[in-house]
C-alpha cells in the first residue's frame, strides 16, 4: 500500500479485477472449460492477464492526480485489497459490487467452478483512494483503462458492500479462491 486512505476519499478501481485468476484457471482447467466453451474463448481467457496492466501508467496518472493511497491488487483479489487498504488506513467504507470493473469472461469462468470472482487473483488491477475520483476515472479511460468510482471511505469502522438492494459487511480475507481450485 502506498499512502493512506482518508475519510471522504472516493474508491476507484482501475483495470478489470481477476484477470490473472481467470487466465490461470483457463490454463489449468482447459478440459473442464472445453465442455462448455470454444477453444477461442479459452485462449482469450488465457491471454486476459496480458490485456491490462497497472504498470507505470496507472500509477503515474493516479499520483499526478494526488491520490491518497494506491494498492496493486494480487492474491486474494479485490475483496482482499479492499480489506487490507481499509484496515491499514483505519477507515470505514461503502462500496458497490456492481461498479467494479470485471470482464464477462471472468464471470462465466467463475460460474463454472462456483468461485467468487472478487476473491480471485487480480494482478494488474489497482485500488485507488482519491478526492475527485470521477476526474481520475475520465483520465484513465482516456488512456484506455477500464476504471470506475466504486465507493467512498468514512471515519467509521463499518465496511459495507452493496449489490443491488442488499448490503453485507466486508469480511477478513480468507485463502485465495484460485489456490483452493488448483488443489482440486
Amino acid at each position: 500500500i502506498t499512502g493512506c486512505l482518508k475519510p471522504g476519499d472516493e474508491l476507484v478501481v482501475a483495470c478489470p479485477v481477476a484477470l490473472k485468476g481467470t487466465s490461470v484457471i483457463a490454463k489449468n482447467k482447459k478440459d473442464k472449460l472445453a465442455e462448455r466453451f470454444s477453444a477461442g474463448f479459452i485462449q482469450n481467457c488465457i491471454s486476459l492477464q496480458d490485456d491490462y496492466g497497472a504498470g507505470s501508467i496507472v500509477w503515474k496518472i493516479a499520483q499526478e492526480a494526488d491520490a491518497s493511497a494506491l494498492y496493486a491488487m494480487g492474491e486474494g483479489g479485490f475483496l482482499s485489497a479492499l480489506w487490507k487498504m481499509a484496515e491499514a488506513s483505519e477507515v470505514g467504507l461503502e462500496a458497490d459490487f456492481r461498479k467494479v470493473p470485471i470482464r464477462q469472461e471472468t464471470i462465466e469462468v467463475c460460474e463454472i467452478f462456483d468461485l467468487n470472482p472478487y476473491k480471485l487473483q487480480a494482478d494488474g488491477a489497482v485500488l485507488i483512494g482519491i478526492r475527485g475520483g470521477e476526474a481520475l476515472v475520465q483520465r484513465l479511460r482516456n488512456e484506455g483503462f477500464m476504471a470506475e468510482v466504486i465507493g467512498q471511505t468514512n471515519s467509521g469502522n463499518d465496511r459495507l458492500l452493496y449489490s443491488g438492494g442488499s448490503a453485507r459487511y466486508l469480511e477478513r480475507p480468507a485463502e485465495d479462491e484460485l489456490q483452493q481450485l488448483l488443489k482440486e
Side-chain angles (χ1 to χ4, degrees):
I1 299 171
T2 301
C4 187
L5 292 172
K6 298 176 182 80
D9 279 349
E10 289 181 300
L11 297 167
V12 173
V13 175
C15 303
V17 300
L19 294 182
K20 172 102 185 245
T22 304
S23 177
V24 170
I25 292 168
K27 284 179 194 168
N28 289 282
K29 300 288 186 175
K30 281 183 190 171
D31 294 343
K32 177 77 174 167
L33 290 173
E35 294 172 10
R36 184 156 168 199
F37 300 112
S38 70
F41 177 89
I42 296 167
Q43 187 55 47
N44 183 48
C45 289
I46 291 170
S47 67
L48 277 179
Q49 75 178 32
D50 302 328
D51 286 354
Y52 289 87
S56 58
I57 298 171
V58 169
W59 283 88
K60 183 179 178 198
I61 292 170
Q63 287 174 328
E64 287 173 359
D66 204 26
S68 302
L70 295 155
Y71 186 86
M73 294 186 214
E75 198 170 304
F78 164 73
L79 290 175
S80 176
L82 200 58
W83 173 271
K84 289 174 183 175
M85 208 161 168
E87 188 75 6
S89 301
E90 298 179 348
V91 296
L93 60 82
E94 294 183 359
D96 187 341
F97 272 125
R98 296 170 303 167
K99 295 181 178 180
V100 176
I102 191 165
R103 296 281 300 257
Q104 186 61 35
E105 295 94 327
T106 296
I107 292 167
E108 293 186 35
V109 166
C110 286
E111 283 179 3
I112 298 281
F113 297 103
D114 194 30
L115 298 173
N116 182 337
Y118 302 102
K119 292 182 179 178
L120 263 190
Q121 198 167 346
D123 300 50
V126 181
L127 180 59
I128 303 163
I130 190 169
R131 304 281 174 168
E134 274 307 319
L136 175 61
V137 164
Q138 288 308 315
R139 182 140 181 242
L140 288 167
R141 287 179 181 166
N142 289 342
E143 293 289 335
F145 296 100
M146 288 176 71
E148 289 290 338
V149 174
I150 60 136
Q152 189 165 9
T153 60
N154 59 56
S155 59
N157 291 321
D158 291 343
R159 297 172 185 145
L160 297 170
L161 301 172
Y162 294 93
S163 181
S166 63
R168 68 178 182 91
Y169 287 98
L170 178 64
E171 299 170 4
R172 181 177 299 280
E175 184 179 21
D176 188 290
E177 295 267 297
L178 180 60
Q179 300 310 315
Q180 293 176 1
L181 175 67
L182 296 178
K183 288 178 186 175
E184 295 175 359

